[in-house]
Amino acid sequence: MAGTLSVAQALAYVRKASEPEEPPPMLLSGPLVWVRDNLFSSIVSGLTTLAFIALALWLAPPAIEWATTLAVWSAPDGSLCRQHQDGACWAFIAAKLDYLRFGSYPVSERWRVEVVEALGAGLTLWLLWPKAPRRGWAAVMFFAVYPVLTFVLLRGSETLGLPTVDTLLWGGMLVSLLTAVVGIVFSLPLGITLALGRRSQMPVVRLASVMFIEFVRGVPFITILFMANTMLPLFVPEAWTPDRLLRPLIGIALFSAAYMAEEVRGGLQSLGRGQYEGALALGLNYPRMMALVILPQALVMVIPGIVNNFIGLFMDTTLISVVGATDFLEAMNNAFKDPAWSGPTIVASGYAFAGMFYFVFCYGMARYSAFMERVLAKGHRK
Amino acid sequence: MTTSSLEASNSIAIDFVGVHKWYGRFHALRNINLSVRRGERIVVCGPSGSGKSTLIRCVNRLEEYQRGLIVVDGVELTQDIRRIDEVRRDVGMVFQSFNLFPHLTVLENCALAPIWVRKMPRRDAENLAMQLLTRVKIPEQSSKYPGQLSGGQQQRVAIARALSMNPRIMLFDEPTSALDPEMVKEVLDTMTALAQDGMTMIVVTHEMGFARQIADRVVFMDNGEIVEINAPKLFFDNPQHDRTRLFLSQILR
């Protein structure tokens, strides 16, 4: 008896003093350690690194030389470019820049486009910068005031003394950016509406949403464009026949909305029933529950998908030329037809410039989306 | 029962009359009859799947019932969405999994419904929210997000949020079941304080100590029906029905 007690006492333990808190041991860090751990951690990894460095050294310098030191930066016409065929012909872009920006928009009225572009850029920055003051106002301006102002300025208004400019004359970056902005501004709200419709309790609303989404998703975009171009005039009274540029704009907004709806639906489905019940139990009605509780969470979750759609939409603007609109890429193709500027390097330079134009906007959207994800993730860690 | 609570019990807060509910073919609630007086504290217990949660979720119409009648504060629950909203404004609910809004701060969680449902000015709503957070003893957490709080703190925020609509009735659906053991007490203390202030409460819980201390009546449910209703002392010390005795023998050791 006494023996077992002493064994138990020997196994029992009571702490007398707390362990001191100590700093971690010296960590191995620094650039050399990073290079060893990430680039040369094994033989295969080291060989891969070397192979890619070699590839970069082989490909990059000629491309950079072609675009910079060997390039023709200014010339009155294409003859200088035809003599220097080992470099890009940026002089062509410089000579055609106004046409690439405005298409056939009358030269005397181009300031109107520039005002619209400057306002758009300013408002976009105001709206997208998370710490900017009064972003609510920015949203009102961007979604309510700006579209009206843009329409009046670009289209013209006799009462304001602005001559009307037919949309057939619009072209270049103006049309590309306009199409993208209209598509983005209309497809997101429409997509959200369709997503909510698809999850509605009302069978008619649900069926209509499902039919629209599945129909649009099952048809190629070019088909939608042709249909918008030829069928819209059939369905509306002649006096209301949509403008030739408006038809592809409607087409792209509807097309993008169907894909947006499916992204948003994914976000809605990822929220548990508890969020709905929490909101309902407080007495929030359906619109407030959606606007204040459900959508803010669902949309944040699908930001990558939404931005992916925006990027796709921006690329798809190049297709509206099939129904006769002169987007930026089409304007570039038109510019190649100038006999004063014909030559092999000119076409290559033109497409390189077009590629950079699209890349800048799409990469910008991608980076902004990544930035917003980080900002919003800070707010509510789950 | 004291005289003051007898006086308070003159009016009926919630009346269940012959309520039936089915999930598909499954008969989830069977002929429920129960009158909850104003200021009364009811604890509902029973094995899992017995219909306790379904019962209280019918009170604010998170669940529909197919037959019978529920009258809350004199308002009969029907399909009419305006009546449902009226009842929901009057009935606060606290859930097992808190259901706080993770994208809003603690303060915003508590001020949301007063601002948007009661149309209270933002400043007043935030003052009210701070008062309620003080009442549940976490005013210092008001600017944090729910995900940064412990389970017990989140549940106390959920209680404050439910109180923000100034409800006359509070429903608790297993409020401590998702909590780590060391956090159960802080939530039960908050609920006890609420009970002592005279709130009408229906609490679904397995905390038998709480039931014994706070409940005016304990309702035991099994298999979708009410098996026994009794004062806590009689319920625990001298249960009448076999199923009650079996249940108590399983959970009390």
Side-chain angles (χ1 to χ4, degrees), chain A residues 114 228 257 270 298 336:
Chain A
E114 285 176 330
S270 67
F336 292 148

Side-chain angles (χ1 to χ4, degrees), chain B residues 55 140 207:
Chain B
L55 176 80
E140 73 283 357
E207 294 293 332

Side-chain angles (χ1 to χ4, degrees), chain A residues 65-109:
Chain A
E65 279 176 9
W66 179 83
T68 55
T69 50
L70 297 175
V72 177
W73 289 89
S74 62
D77 57 36
S79 53
L80 198 60
C81 288
R82 284 189 286 276
Q83 288 163 29
H84 296 86
Q85 297 216 351
D86 49 354
C89 182
W90 300 133
F92 166 73
I93 303 294
K96 298 291 180 191
L97 190 60
D98 275 355
Y99 177 70
L100 293 175
R101 284 183 64 192
F102 305 107
S104 308
Y105 207 90
V107 177
S108 61
E109 305 299 323

Side-chain angles (χ1 to χ4, degrees), chain A residues 163-366:
Chain A
T164 309
V165 180
D166 195 286
T167 53
L168 285 174
L169 300 175
W170 303 13
M173 292 181 194
L174 162 62
V175 164
S176 288
L177 293 175
L178 184 77
T179 313
V181 170
V182 167
I184 286 170
V185 166
F186 285 95
S187 68
L188 185 57
L190 200 57
I192 292 172
T193 311
L194 284 168
L196 294 178
R198 191 165 188 166
R199 287 170 61 81
S200 166
Q201 307 263 339
M202 290 177 272
V204 179
V205 174
R206 193 168 57 230
L207 185 69
S209 307
V210 169
M211 277 170 58
F212 178 85
I213 292 168
E214 295 306 336
F215 173 75
V216 171
R217 286 206 305 169
V219 175
F221 180 50
I222 294 198
T223 314
I224 301 264
L225 281 178
F226 282 128
M227 282 164 60
N229 203 33
T230 55
M231 285 167 69
L232 274 180
L234 298 180
F235 290 127
V236 291
E238 206 162 322
W240 292 7
T241 301
D243 177 90
R244 295 211 39 111
L245 183 62
L246 186 59
R247 292 177 214 169
L249 291 188
I250 293 172
I252 202 165
L254 294 182
F255 179 76
S256 190
Y259 287 85
M260 206 64 82
E262 289 299 278
E263 290 293 350
V264 175
R265 187 165 69 98
L268 290 173
Q269 275 171 347
S270 67
L271 282 183
R273 235 170 45 148
Q275 291 295 306
Y276 292 85
E277 292 179 349
L280 288 176
L282 282 171
L284 293 172
N285 59 17
Y286 179 85
R288 291 197 191 112
M289 170 175 79
M290 283 299 165
L292 299 169
V293 176
I294 304 300
L295 284 174
Q297 297 182 63
L299 292 179
V300 165
M301 251 179 277
V302 294
I303 284 179
I306 290 176
V307 173
N308 207 20
N309 268 339
F310 285 163
I311 290 174
L313 186 151
F314 196 82
M315 312 264 193
D316 284 346
T317 61
T318 52
L319 293 172
I320 65 171
S321 61
V322 300
V323 290
T326 313
D327 73 303
F328 172 62
L329 197 63
E330 185 68 6
M332 185 67 81
N333 282 331
N334 290 342
F336 292 148
K337 291 172 190 154
D338 184 350
W341 289 94
S342 65
T345 61
I346 288 168
V347 174
S349 309
Y351 285 135
F353 181 72
M356 281 187 278
F357 169 79
Y358 289 106
F359 180 79
V360 164
F361 280 93
C362 294
Y363 188 68
M365 283 192 262

Side-chain angles (χ1 to χ4, degrees), chain A residues 273-285 288 292-294 296-297 378-382, chain B residues 57 60 62 85 88 91 93 95 99-103 112-113 116-117 119 145 147-148 161-162 165:
Chain A
R273 235 170 45 148
Q275 291 295 306
Y276 292 85
E277 292 179 349
L280 288 176
L282 282 171
L284 293 172
N285 59 17
R288 291 197 191 112
L292 299 169
V293 176
I294 304 300
Q297 297 182 63
K378 263 184 218 155
H380 45 98
R381 275 166 280 162
K382 270 211 170 169
Chain B
R57 289 161 59 87
N60 62 352
L62 290 182
D85 282 342
R88 282 174 180 162
V91 178
M93 186 161 195
F95 300 87
N99 295 353
L100 293 173
F101 307 135
H103 63 301
L112 186 77
W116 292 96
V117 183
K119 309 286 180 204
Y145 287 89
Q148 295 167 298
R161 185 181 70 176
M165 289 295 287

